[in-house]
Amino acid sequence: MEQLLQQIKAYKQEIASANGTDAESFRIKWLGTKGLVKAIMGEMKNVAPDKKKEAGQLLNEFKLYVENRYAELHAVSENNKQQATNDQLDLSLPADPMSLGSRHPISLVRNRIISIFQRLGFAVAEGPEIEDDWHNFTALNLPENHPARDMQDTFYISQNPDWLLRTHTSSVQVREMQKGQLPIRIICPGRVYRNETISARAHCFFHQVEGLYIAENVSFADLKQTLYFFVQEMFGKDVKVRFRPSYFPFTEPSAEMDISCLICGGEGCSVCKKTGWVEILGCGMVHPNVLENCGIDPNKYTGFAFGMGIERITMLKYQIRDLRLFSENDIRFLDQFTGAV
Ligand code: DAH
């Protein structure tokens, strides 16, 4: 018993002075399976039976003492480790780069078209994508048997055969005319739908911008000058335009407008099919029947209208050859369009 007391005292002194000891080597030396605590516990068997209780208490108290000391050393060493990693942090390093999104090319070009026409005093108007037959066709002077009404071209809503997905933004001009607030000077950007097989040149949905100007004494010269201004702002001062006679049920006379090919400058290439010209929009003077259908007196008012595909303008502007790129959401394609047009 006396020896045990001496030994414990000596151990305690050693432990008390063990400041700065590595926690793990302390644990192995004292508390490990071959450690000194276990060894001294083994001394119990040499203690006289009447002293066993006292010795047991002493040893347990010693074991507790060692364990507490280990806990202290462990806490200190954890703290040191943390400190070390903090010291390695270089707060002056630049942060991980944050990738910024960019606008879709169709949005960029749509916004540009809008801003050009806004400078001429056009306001933006919008209408529903699910339309009725009257706004999409009848009011626009499309006779009952017109091929554009064919199921091939138009998506009809099965619950109601009178409803369809608008095939053009011309339906919005009808809605604006019906409001009866003249003069009207609007552009209508929006998505349109057609029952087409998807390919590089056709898609079942795309975007258009419709334009409409109705007032007293609006002439075809006003139409030409407006569109000429637009084209020069959009494609630059060097671009040439030409108007070709055409047919649309809702305009009379009607025309299609071409611009000189931006790729070859009019020399002739595969984009302009060797003609030097590419078609960009349809236009004309609003048909008197359309004005009447929408409650406007054709003897007092005249107007012009035009409609263009945003995809087409975007493809020409950026030399994109495949319509499908616009809706595939491939980040490698979309990433290229960063700033405003
Ligand atoms: N709505 C025609 C289309 O979808 C485009 C168009 C042509 C609109 C002539 C017009 C216009 O307003 O006058 O192809």
Side-chain angles (χ1 to χ4, degrees), residues 164-183:
L164 46 88
L165 296 181
R166 68 180 179 195
T167 58
H168 50 190
T169 42
S170 306
S171 54
V172 187
Q173 51 159 293
V174 173
R175 291 184 174 273
E176 288 298 312
M177 285 190 270
Q178 279 184 301
K179 291 180 185 166
Q181 288 160 350
L182 289 139

Side-chain angles (χ1 to χ4, degrees), residues 167-168 170 173 194 208 210-211 248 250-251 282-284 305-307:
T167 58
H168 50 190
S170 306
Q173 51 159 293
R194 288 191 198 169
Q208 289 188 331
E210 187 83 8
F248 299 104
F250 30 89
T251 43
C283 59
F306 57 88

Side-chain angles (χ1 to χ4, degrees), residues 70-319:
Y70 169 67
E72 270 171 37
L73 288 171
H74 184 69
V76 168
S77 91
E78 286 301 298
N79 195 21
N80 286 347
K81 268 192 225 158
Q82 188 59 46
Q83 199 60 45
T85 44
N86 283 352
D87 289 347
Q88 281 164 16
L89 263 187
D90 181 352
L91 295 175
S92 68
L93 280 177
D96 288 342
M98 253 200 293
S99 51
L100 281 180
S102 53
R103 285 208 197 285
H104 195 282
I106 295 294
S107 304
L108 288 174
V109 171
R110 183 200 55 209
N111 293 348
R112 177 97 176 104
I113 296 171
I114 290 174
S115 82
I116 294 172
F117 282 105
Q118 274 176 338
R119 274 187 278 149
L120 291 175
F122 284 78
V124 173
E126 284 180 337
E129 290 182 17
I130 298 177
E131 262 300 0
D132 52 55
D133 182 277
W134 192 80
H135 286 94
N136 195 78
F137 293 132
T138 309
L140 289 161
N141 201 31
L142 269 92
E144 280 300 323
N145 54 357
H146 194 280
R149 289 171 174 243
D150 198 306
M151 295 288 287
Q152 298 269 305
D153 299 316
T154 308
F155 288 116
Y156 286 92
I157 309 279
S158 52
Q159 282 92 329
N160 185 338
D162 192 43
W163 290 347
L164 46 88
L165 296 181
R166 68 180 179 195
T167 58
H168 50 190
T169 42
S170 306
S171 54
V172 187
Q173 51 159 293
V174 173
R175 291 184 174 273
E176 288 298 312
M177 285 190 270
Q178 279 184 301
K179 291 180 185 166
Q181 288 160 350
L182 289 139
I184 299 171
R185 191 157 44 184
I186 49 155
I187 49 165
C188 324
R191 182 175 282 193
V192 300
Y193 302 83
R194 288 191 198 169
N195 194 356
E196 302 259 9
T197 310
I198 297 172
S199 71
R201 304 181 138 264
H203 210 292
C204 58
F205 65 80
F206 54 98
H207 301 79
Q208 289 188 331
V209 175
E210 187 83 8
L212 178 71
Y213 176 38
I214 298 182
E216 288 178 43
N217 300 320
V218 177
S219 72
F220 202 93
D222 298 324
L223 168 63
K224 284 175 85 172
Q225 195 53 43
T226 303
L227 293 178
Y228 190 51
F229 174 80
F230 162 70
V231 160
Q232 290 213 320
E233 289 296 307
M234 191 73 203
F235 296 107
K237 297 285 174 213
D238 293 336
V239 74
K240 296 191 201 55
V241 301
R242 77 174 183 190
F243 289 81
R244 280 179 292 104
S246 185
Y247 172 78
F248 299 104
F250 30 89
T251 43
E252 182 58 38
S254 305
E256 276 170 313
M257 189 176 84
D258 299 342
I259 60 170
S260 51
C261 180
L262 302 164
I263 314 290
C264 62
E267 297 285 303
C269 67
S270 64
V271 171
C272 60
K273 299 198 198 82
K274 305 255 186 285
T275 63
W277 296 95
V278 282
E279 184 216 315
I280 64 159
L281 55 81
C283 59
M285 300 305 291
V286 180
H287 198 292
N289 289 354
V290 175
L291 293 174
E292 236 162 52
N293 290 340
C294 301
I296 294 174
D297 181 357
N299 297 315
K300 185 167 181 210
Y301 292 103
T302 50
F304 67 69
F306 57 88
M308 68 183 106
I310 303 182
E311 275 79 355
R312 188 160 179 81
I313 306 278
T314 312
M315 288 171 98
L316 287 170
K317 182 108 190 136
Y318 292 113
Q319 299 175 23

